[in-house]
Amino acid sequence: MSPPLYNAEILRLATSIPYQERLPAPMATVEKRSPICGSRVTVDVDVDAAGRVSAVGLLVRACALGQASSALLGASVIGRTAEEIAASRDALTAWLARTGEAPDWPGIDIFGPALDYPARHASIRLAFEAAAEAAAAARLVRADG
């Protein structure tokens, strides 16, 4: 028997999303939406001169899995480059599809029970997809500025 999808740790994470205020003038903003359940995650990002995320703001209107994923993203995104976030996004996608290993992201293994629920994967990926795109866009803004 597999562990429950909505366990106590997922529900705890869902209530502990950091950076829940939008940035006043972000270098980039990306919103992602799951067509299956309607979950939405908006990520604002600023990057420093080295291209590392220096500030993030999150607006999360998602199910418990999307909220928990946003909490994990927010807890470890500061200081990462767009490439690092994109690599984690890609690894997360592959892992959920059972075609790769879990990404090297603190706490991500909490989503192990979701491997058997493909309809829930989009919600789990939202924050990582939005953050990867926002960080890449912010890096371009900095380079142009």
Side-chain angles (χ1 to χ4, degrees):
M1 177 182 243
S2 61
L5 180 59
Y6 294 97
N7 57 51
E9 185 64 15
I10 292 283
L11 298 176
R12 184 194 65 75
L13 277 172
T15 64
S16 63
I17 303 168
Y19 306 110
Q20 287 195 70
E21 290 192 23
R22 303 284 307 272
L23 297 180
M27 296 172 86
T29 298
V30 172
E31 179 182 281
K32 290 293 183 178
R33 182 182 161 284
S34 169
I36 294 172
C37 68
S39 289
R40 275 190 349 254
V41 174
T42 305
V43 178
D44 297 329
V45 170
D46 288 339
V47 296
D48 62 19
R52 296 189 175 280
V53 173
S54 59
V56 66
L58 302 170
L59 176 62
V60 181
R61 301 290 182 253
C63 65
L65 294 171
Q67 291 174 35
S69 181
S70 296
L72 287 180
L73 173 95
S76 297
V77 73
I78 300 292
R80 296 198 187 231
T81 65
E83 294 81 10
E84 291 169 336
I85 300 165
S88 293
R89 173 204 60 207
D90 295 346
L92 177 61
T93 299
W95 179 59
L96 290 170
R98 295 185 185 262
T99 61
E101 299 296 316
D104 183 20
W105 197 276
I108 205 73
D109 58 327
I110 190 74
F111 295 113
L115 295 173
D116 294 329
Y117 298 91
R120 309 308 304 146
H121 295 177
S123 294
I124 295 168
R125 292 190 318 260
L126 288 177
F128 286 84
E129 291 172 351
E133 286 185 34
R139 185 184 61 213
L140 291 175
V141 167
R142 178 162 288 283
D144 290 343

Short mmCIF file of all heavy atoms in Angstrom, two decimals, residues 101-126:
data_model
loop_
_atom_site.label_atom_id
_atom_site.label_comp_id
_atom_site.label_asym_id
_atom_site.label_seq_id
_atom_site.Cartn_x
_atom_site.Cartn_y
_atom_site.Cartn_z
N GLU A 101 15.64 10.64 -12.03
CA GLU A 101 15.81 10.69 -10.58
C GLU A 101 15.15 11.95 -10.02
O GLU A 101 14.96 12.93 -10.74
CB GLU A 101 17.30 10.69 -10.24
CG GLU A 101 18.04 9.46 -10.71
CD GLU A 101 17.54 8.19 -10.03
OE1 GLU A 101 17.33 8.22 -8.81
OE2 GLU A 101 17.36 7.19 -10.75
N ALA A 102 14.88 11.93 -8.74
CA ALA A 102 14.34 13.11 -8.07
C ALA A 102 15.33 14.26 -8.17
O ALA A 102 16.55 14.04 -8.11
CB ALA A 102 14.06 12.81 -6.60
N PRO A 103 14.84 15.47 -8.34
CA PRO A 103 15.75 16.62 -8.42
C PRO A 103 16.48 16.83 -7.09
O PRO A 103 16.01 16.43 -6.04
CB PRO A 103 14.83 17.79 -8.73
CG PRO A 103 13.47 17.35 -8.39
CD PRO A 103 13.44 15.87 -8.45
N ASP A 104 17.62 17.48 -7.21
CA ASP A 104 18.40 17.83 -6.03
C ASP A 104 17.83 19.12 -5.45
O ASP A 104 18.37 20.21 -5.66
CB ASP A 104 19.88 17.98 -6.42
CG ASP A 104 20.75 18.27 -5.20
OD1 ASP A 104 20.32 17.98 -4.07
OD2 ASP A 104 21.85 18.80 -5.39
N TRP A 105 16.69 19.00 -4.79
CA TRP A 105 16.01 20.15 -4.19
C TRP A 105 15.56 19.72 -2.80
O TRP A 105 14.89 18.69 -2.66
CB TRP A 105 14.81 20.57 -5.03
CG TRP A 105 14.35 21.94 -4.71
CD1 TRP A 105 13.50 22.30 -3.70
CD2 TRP A 105 14.71 23.15 -5.37
NE1 TRP A 105 13.32 23.65 -3.69
CE2 TRP A 105 14.06 24.20 -4.71
CE3 TRP A 105 15.53 23.44 -6.45
CZ2 TRP A 105 14.19 25.53 -5.11
CZ3 TRP A 105 15.67 24.76 -6.84
CH2 TRP A 105 15.00 25.79 -6.19
N PRO A 106 15.90 20.46 -1.78
CA PRO A 106 15.56 20.06 -0.42
C PRO A 106 14.06 19.77 -0.24
O PRO A 106 13.22 20.59 -0.59
CB PRO A 106 15.99 21.26 0.44
CG PRO A 106 17.04 21.94 -0.38
CD PRO A 106 16.63 21.74 -1.82
N GLY A 107 13.77 18.57 0.27
CA GLY A 107 12.40 18.21 0.61
C GLY A 107 11.54 17.67 -0.51
O GLY A 107 10.40 17.27 -0.28
N ILE A 108 12.04 17.64 -1.74
CA ILE A 108 11.20 17.28 -2.89
C ILE A 108 10.67 15.86 -2.81
O ILE A 108 9.61 15.55 -3.36
CB ILE A 108 11.95 17.53 -4.22
CG1 ILE A 108 10.97 17.76 -5.37
CG2 ILE A 108 12.90 16.40 -4.53
CD1 ILE A 108 10.28 19.08 -5.34
N ASP A 109 11.37 15.00 -2.09
CA ASP A 109 10.92 13.61 -1.98
C ASP A 109 9.56 13.47 -1.29
O ASP A 109 8.94 12.42 -1.36
CB ASP A 109 11.97 12.76 -1.28
CG ASP A 109 12.31 13.28 0.11
OD1 ASP A 109 12.27 14.50 0.33
OD2 ASP A 109 12.61 12.44 0.98
N ILE A 110 9.07 14.54 -0.69
CA ILE A 110 7.74 14.53 -0.08
C ILE A 110 6.67 14.19 -1.12
O ILE A 110 5.60 13.71 -0.79
CB ILE A 110 7.44 15.89 0.61
CG1 ILE A 110 6.17 15.79 1.45
CG2 ILE A 110 7.27 17.00 -0.39
CD1 ILE A 110 6.34 15.03 2.71
N PHE A 111 6.98 14.43 -2.39
CA PHE A 111 6.02 14.18 -3.45
C PHE A 111 6.09 12.76 -4.01
O PHE A 111 5.41 12.45 -4.98
CB PHE A 111 6.18 15.20 -4.58
CG PHE A 111 5.84 16.59 -4.14
CD1 PHE A 111 6.82 17.55 -4.07
CD2 PHE A 111 4.55 16.92 -3.77
CE1 PHE A 111 6.52 18.84 -3.64
CE2 PHE A 111 4.24 18.19 -3.33
CZ PHE A 111 5.22 19.16 -3.27
N GLY A 112 6.84 11.89 -3.38
CA GLY A 112 6.91 10.49 -3.80
C GLY A 112 5.54 9.84 -3.98
O GLY A 112 5.29 9.18 -4.99
N PRO A 113 4.61 10.03 -3.04
CA PRO A 113 3.29 9.42 -3.21
C PRO A 113 2.54 9.93 -4.45
O PRO A 113 1.65 9.26 -4.97
CB PRO A 113 2.54 9.80 -1.93
CG PRO A 113 3.62 10.01 -0.91
CD PRO A 113 4.76 10.61 -1.70
N ALA A 114 2.90 11.08 -4.96
CA ALA A 114 2.22 11.65 -6.13
C ALA A 114 2.64 11.00 -7.44
O ALA A 114 2.00 11.22 -8.47
CB ALA A 114 2.47 13.15 -6.20
N LEU A 115 3.70 10.22 -7.41
CA LEU A 115 4.16 9.56 -8.64
C LEU A 115 3.04 8.73 -9.27
O LEU A 115 2.98 8.62 -10.49
CB LEU A 115 5.39 8.68 -8.36
CG LEU A 115 6.65 9.41 -7.92
CD1 LEU A 115 7.73 8.41 -7.52
CD2 LEU A 115 7.15 10.36 -8.99
N ASP A 116 2.17 8.18 -8.47
CA ASP A 116 1.08 7.35 -8.97
C ASP A 116 -0.16 8.15 -9.40
O ASP A 116 -1.17 7.56 -9.75
CB ASP A 116 0.67 6.33 -7.90
CG ASP A 116 1.76 5.32 -7.62
OD1 ASP A 116 2.54 5.00 -8.55
OD2 ASP A 116 1.85 4.85 -6.47
N TYR A 117 -0.08 9.48 -9.36
CA TYR A 117 -1.23 10.34 -9.68
C TYR A 117 -0.84 11.37 -10.75
O TYR A 117 -0.66 12.55 -10.44
CB TYR A 117 -1.72 11.05 -8.43
CG TYR A 117 -2.21 10.11 -7.36
CD1 TYR A 117 -1.34 9.63 -6.38
CD2 TYR A 117 -3.54 9.69 -7.34
CE1 TYR A 117 -1.78 8.75 -5.41
CE2 TYR A 117 -3.99 8.81 -6.36
CZ TYR A 117 -3.10 8.35 -5.40
OH TYR A 117 -3.55 7.48 -4.44
N PRO A 118 -0.70 10.95 -12.01
CA PRO A 118 -0.26 11.88 -13.06
C PRO A 118 -1.13 13.13 -13.20
O PRO A 118 -0.62 14.18 -13.59
CB PRO A 118 -0.33 11.03 -14.33
CG PRO A 118 -0.35 9.61 -13.88
CD PRO A 118 -0.91 9.60 -12.49
N ALA A 119 -2.38 13.05 -12.86
CA ALA A 119 -3.25 14.22 -12.97
C ALA A 119 -2.85 15.32 -11.98
O ALA A 119 -3.23 16.48 -12.16
CB ALA A 119 -4.71 13.83 -12.75
N ARG A 120 -2.07 14.98 -10.96
CA ARG A 120 -1.64 15.96 -9.96
C ARG A 120 -0.27 16.56 -10.27
O ARG A 120 0.15 17.52 -9.65
CB ARG A 120 -1.60 15.31 -8.56
CG ARG A 120 -2.87 14.56 -8.17
CD ARG A 120 -4.16 15.36 -8.30
NE ARG A 120 -4.09 16.59 -7.54
CZ ARG A 120 -4.66 17.73 -7.91
NH1 ARG A 120 -5.36 17.81 -9.00
NH2 ARG A 120 -4.53 18.81 -7.17
N HIS A 121 0.43 16.00 -11.24
CA HIS A 121 1.80 16.44 -11.54
C HIS A 121 1.88 17.90 -11.98
O HIS A 121 2.82 18.61 -11.61
CB HIS A 121 2.43 15.54 -12.59
CG HIS A 121 2.62 14.13 -12.13
ND1 HIS A 121 3.12 13.15 -12.95
CD2 HIS A 121 2.39 13.53 -10.93
CE1 HIS A 121 3.18 12.01 -12.27
NE2 HIS A 121 2.73 12.21 -11.05
N ALA A 122 0.92 18.36 -12.76
CA ALA A 122 0.97 19.75 -13.24
C ALA A 122 0.97 20.73 -12.08
O ALA A 122 1.71 21.72 -12.10
CB ALA A 122 -0.20 20.02 -14.18
N SER A 123 0.19 20.47 -11.06
CA SER A 123 0.14 21.37 -9.90
C SER A 123 1.47 21.39 -9.17
O SER A 123 1.91 22.44 -8.69
CB SER A 123 -0.95 20.93 -8.93
OG SER A 123 -2.21 21.10 -9.52
N ILE A 124 2.13 20.25 -9.09
CA ILE A 124 3.42 20.17 -8.39
C ILE A 124 4.50 20.92 -9.17
O ILE A 124 5.39 21.53 -8.59
CB ILE A 124 3.81 18.69 -8.18
CG1 ILE A 124 2.81 18.01 -7.25
CG2 ILE A 124 5.22 18.57 -7.64
CD1 ILE A 124 2.92 16.50 -7.20
N ARG A 125 4.39 20.93 -10.49
CA ARG A 125 5.41 21.58 -11.33
C ARG A 125 5.24 23.09 -11.44
O ARG A 125 6.18 23.80 -11.82
CB ARG A 125 5.39 20.97 -12.73
CG ARG A 125 5.84 19.55 -12.80
CD ARG A 125 6.03 19.08 -14.25
NE ARG A 125 4.99 19.52 -15.15
CZ ARG A 125 3.96 18.78 -15.56
NH1 ARG A 125 3.82 17.54 -15.14
NH2 ARG A 125 3.06 19.28 -16.40
N LEU A 126 4.06 23.62 -11.17
CA LEU A 126 3.77 25.04 -11.44
C LEU A 126 4.81 26.02 -10.91
O LEU A 126 5.29 26.88 -11.65
CB LEU A 126 2.40 25.42 -10.85
CG LEU A 126 1.17 24.89 -11.55
CD1 LEU A 126 -0.08 25.31 -10.77
CD2 LEU A 126 1.09 25.37 -12.98
#
